[in-house]
Amino acid sequence: MRFAVVVFPGSNCDRDMYHAVKDALQEEVDMVWHLETNLENYDGILLPGGFSYGDYLRTGAMAKTSPILKAVKDAAQKGKPILGVCNGFQILLESGLLPGAMLRNKNLKFMCRTVDLKVKNKNTMFTTGYDQETVRLPIAHGEGNYYCDEKTYETLVQNEQIVFTYGENPNGSVHDIAGIINQEGNVLGMMPHPERAVESLLGNEDGLKLFQSIVKNWRESHAVNA
């Protein structure tokens, strides 16, 4: 399986994501600059964290106009796995690939620590590798306060699109939401950083299971369709 890590001006977690895929997951991966317009050669697309375009206007608001976003949307329509982490999640919201919006943290402070997450849906292509109810992943954000209106929330619940919730809500996110998936099940956005928890040296390997789930499900899908 071959991954693309999309790099925007201001991305700063791109190398963490690259390391997670290349060294921990041991799959093929390239860093792809945001001016690229073709992602046909990649099986999975990863939007890393950071401060794309300095977070000007709103987080992710300028990145959604980058040339590569059309290719990301094309990949999503084709059913390829798309993972957006932190700023990547914010970009997915701004581009309309996921519903809702991101607000500043409730306490208006940047926060950086490891938190407990509940795995609410283990039946996605990103989470089938989890057998436990709770995992621990790092967060590092100033605008991680996920918001959606009640009608959207009811839709998320009805379609089992809420994938992760916080054990103790650190940022004020509505209904403790930490990660959601699209209705088709191939686009996941989440504020915690799985790429920073892929080996014991980093604290734990809870994040590695997410990447392993992607690869396992992609290979099984392609073996069936071959």
Side-chain angles (χ1 to χ4, degrees), residues 136-209:
R136 285 181 61 77
L137 294 178
I139 59 170
H141 56 249
E143 298 186 35
N145 182 357
Y146 176 77
Y147 173 79
C148 65
D149 59 29
E150 203 57 28
K151 182 178 179 180
T152 300
Y153 173 70
E154 291 173 2
T155 301
L156 292 175
V157 172
Q158 182 178 3
N159 296 326
E160 298 183 307
Q161 291 176 250
I162 300 173
V163 180
F164 296 106
T165 58
Y166 295 106
E168 293 186 10
N169 193 334
N171 50 34
S173 289
V174 64
H175 296 288
D176 304 327
I177 290 174
I180 60 171
I181 201 167
N182 65 341
Q183 290 191 23
E184 292 75 16
N186 66 308
V187 178
L188 172 66
M190 59 191 295
M191 288 311 295
H193 289 262
E195 80 280 8
R196 296 184 184 178
V198 294
E199 54 188 321
S200 58
L201 183 64
L202 298 175
N204 69 63
E205 299 180 355
D206 285 350
L208 182 59
K209 292 182 179 180

